[in-house]
């Protein structure tokens, strides 16, 4: 097995960073992590999570292979097949886990059913708002779509656990493919992640059901006032219902 020398890795990262003329704080800002994490890498205390290897290599101007080997390769140099295979196996082993997604776990699959039912209820409610000519129909449709996207991720595709990197460092972002979330003031880790996921699921499902109902009644009670202010209120409700519960729960169980 190809071994990553933490001390050598840290020294290599420090040298590349200084060559680029950036500070630990500046590099950390580009990676959405704390400068303490950079310090730990450079002193050999820890190694970055595999999700950060590609962006780190890009920022330091080397390939991921060079980063893992802790040395620059001459132009035109190639690695032997056996060595490439060892490096790949090391990365796979180093990642240590491939957290399952919600749809892969039976205990989480009930949320998929709840998500589908909530989306259908919200769609019916939005349609009823349309045929009764209630105001803010366009914004209502957009917010329902946004809820469907966020709810779909958290109910169906979210990773049940975060990599160990999040427990070892102060990280206020989550990157998962196309999904990006950066929340200043909240440190994501496996102590609060399950509560964040559960709370967000509840918020998304309830919001998809309740927003069309709210729009219908507000459009009936005060059509003129709701027509002028309803769109802003619906959008504000959307952002508050997503980020406020995340922040509160994330800080509570941090």
């Amino acid at each position: 097995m190809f071994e990553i020398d933490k001390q050598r890795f840290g020294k290599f990262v420090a040298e590349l960073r200084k060559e680029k003329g950036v500070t630990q704080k500046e590099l950390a800002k580009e990676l959405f992590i704390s400068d303490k994490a950079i310090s730990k890498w450079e002193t050999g205390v820890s190694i970055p999570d595999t999700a950060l290897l590609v962006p780190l290599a890009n920022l330091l101007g080397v390939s991921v292979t060079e980063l893992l080997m802790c040395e620059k390769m001459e132009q035109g140099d190639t690695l032997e097949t056996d060595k490439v295979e060892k490096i790949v196996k090391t990365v796979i082993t180093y990642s240590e886990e491939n957290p399952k997604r919600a749809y892969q776990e039976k205990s989480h699959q009930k949320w998929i059913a709840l998500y589908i039912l909530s989306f259908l209820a919200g769609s019916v409610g939005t349609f009823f708002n349309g045929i009764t000519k209630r105001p803010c129909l366009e914004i209502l449709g957009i917010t329902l779509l946004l809820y469907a996207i966020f709810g779909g991720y958290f109910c169906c595709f979210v990773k049940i656990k975060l990599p160990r990197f999040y427990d070892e460092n102060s990280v206020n972002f989550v990157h998962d493919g196309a999904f990006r979330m950066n929340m200043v003031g909240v440190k994501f880790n496996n102590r609060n992640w399950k509560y964040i996921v559960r709370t967000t699921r509840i918020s998304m499902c309830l919001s998809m059901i309740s927003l069309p109902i709210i729009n219908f009644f507000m459009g009936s009670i005060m059509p003129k006032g709701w027509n002028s202010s309803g769109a802003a209120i619906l959008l504000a409700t959307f952002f508050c219902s997503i980020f406020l519960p995340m922040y509160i729960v994330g800080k509570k169980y941090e």
Side-chain angles (χ1 to χ4, degrees), residues 37-172:
I38 305 293
S39 178
K40 286 182 179 181
W41 301 345
E42 294 188 357
T43 54
V45 175
S46 63
I47 299 176
D49 182 76
T50 51
L52 293 173
L53 291 177
V54 172
L56 177 62
N58 289 339
L59 289 170
L60 296 177
V62 295
S63 67
V64 175
T65 301
E66 290 174 312
L67 189 62
L68 291 173
M69 291 178 61
C70 308
E71 62 181 6
K72 289 185 177 181
M73 296 174 60
E74 295 295 331
Q75 191 172 6
D77 282 359
T78 57
L79 293 177
E80 296 178 359
T81 303
D82 289 345
K83 192 166 187 179
V84 172
E85 186 175 356
K86 287 179 181 179
I87 292 174
V88 172
K89 286 180 178 178
T90 298
V91 174
I92 294 172
T93 303
Y94 172 60
S95 65
E96 80 173 359
E97 63 203 27
N98 185 19
K100 290 184 178 180
R101 297 189 181 273
Y103 70 86
Q104 296 174 314
E105 280 286 326
K106 285 186 177 180
S107 59
H108 289 257
Q109 289 176 358
K110 63 182 180 182
W111 284 103
I112 299 176
L114 289 171
Y115 164 74
I116 294 172
L117 290 173
S118 300
F119 178 69
L120 289 175
S123 299
V124 171
T126 302
F127 177 76
F128 192 69
N129 273 264
I131 62 175
T132 54
K133 300 187 184 303
R134 290 300 183 272
C136 304
L137 185 63
E138 183 178 352
I139 294 298
L140 179 62
I142 291 172
T143 53
L144 179 65
L145 178 61
L146 292 172
Y147 278 126
I149 293 171
F150 277 86
Y153 172 77
F154 277 97
C155 290
C156 307
F157 302 104
V158 70
K159 287 184 177 179
I160 298 169
K161 287 186 63 179
L162 294 173
R164 186 179 62 181
F165 169 79
Y166 286 86
D167 296 325
E168 297 176 344
N169 299 277
S170 298
V171 185
N172 57 13

Side-chain angles (χ1 to χ4, degrees), residues 108 110-111 114 118 147 150-151 153-155 158 160 181 183 186 188 191-208 237-254:
H108 289 257
K110 63 182 180 182
W111 284 103
L114 289 171
S118 300
Y147 278 126
F150 277 86
Y153 172 77
F154 277 97
C155 290
V158 70
I160 298 169
M181 184 170 66
M183 189 168 292
V186 175
F188 293 105
R191 293 183 298 278
N192 61 14
W193 183 242
K194 63 180 179 180
Y195 297 106
I196 290 172
V197 170
R198 185 176 64 184
T199 302
T200 304
R201 285 169 170 174
I202 293 171
S203 178
M204 295 297 96
C205 290
L206 288 177
S207 296
M208 283 193 288
T237 301
F238 167 74
F239 287 108
C240 288
S241 63
I242 290 181
F243 297 109
L244 193 58
M246 280 187 189
Y247 184 85
I248 294 172
V249 173
K251 290 297 290 183
K252 181 178 179 180
Y253 295 100
E254 196 174 81

